[in-house]
Amino acid sequence: MHWYVDVIKNYVGFSGRATRTEFWMFVLVNFFIAIFVELIDKFILNGLRVFSTLYNLAVLIPALAVGARRLHDIGKTGWWQLIGIIPVLGWIVLIVYFCTDTQDKENSYGANPKESLQE
């Protein structure tokens, strides 16, 4: 859960790097929270989608930020997220990038985050 909270705390941090674990744990926790909020909307508010819309707007910037940091970790610019606009093919490219391992050395976006975790 701390991965999710760390991303939310760094909600406008588009610089730096994020490990695969940080990114995917955020995605996982975000997915379950989104389902829970959607169920609240469906059963309590009769499908008005008030809470789910507010939640999705609240996590939009942090999700874009952690995505950009994840792409920085593999040496790509955060603007590569725009390829997700292309249906299916763009999504596949992004998933491959998000699953790619960290660059072992320091890159133009900062030091290897795995090294700081091991110390």
Side-chain angles (χ1 to χ4, degrees):
M1 186 70 169
H2 77 89
W3 297 106
Y4 180 82
V5 174
D6 290 347
V7 169
I8 297 298
K9 285 180 184 176
N10 193 13
Y11 70 99
V12 290
F14 283 84
S15 61
R17 296 167 67 171
T19 62
R20 281 186 295 188
T21 305
E22 179 181 357
F23 176 79
W24 286 111
M25 291 305 289
F26 173 78
V27 169
L28 182 67
V29 172
N30 186 45
F31 176 74
F32 286 120
I33 291 173
I35 288 175
F36 177 73
V37 171
E38 189 72 35
L39 290 173
I40 289 173
D41 278 346
K42 181 174 176 113
F43 292 115
I44 296 176
L45 298 177
N46 295 324
L48 287 178
R49 296 184 55 95
V50 174
F51 292 127
S52 60
T53 301
L54 290 174
Y55 176 74
N56 288 329
L57 286 173
V59 297
L60 177 64
I61 300 294
L64 290 173
V66 76
R69 290 193 311 270
R70 178 69 203 121
L71 289 169
H72 291 169
D73 196 41
I74 63 168
K76 304 277 184 212
T77 178
W79 289 103
W80 271 97
Q81 292 180 90
L82 291 175
I83 200 168
I85 294 171
I86 302 170
V88 184
L89 181 62
W91 305 335
I92 291 169
V93 170
L94 275 179
I95 289 171
V96 168
Y97 282 168
F98 290 149
C99 292
T100 302
D101 196 14
T102 298
Q103 284 185 335
D104 290 335
K105 57 186 188 266
E106 183 173 328
N107 65 19
S108 60
Y109 300 103
N112 182 351
K114 282 185 175 179
E115 289 176 358
S116 64
L117 292 175
Q118 292 173 353
E119 294 175 354

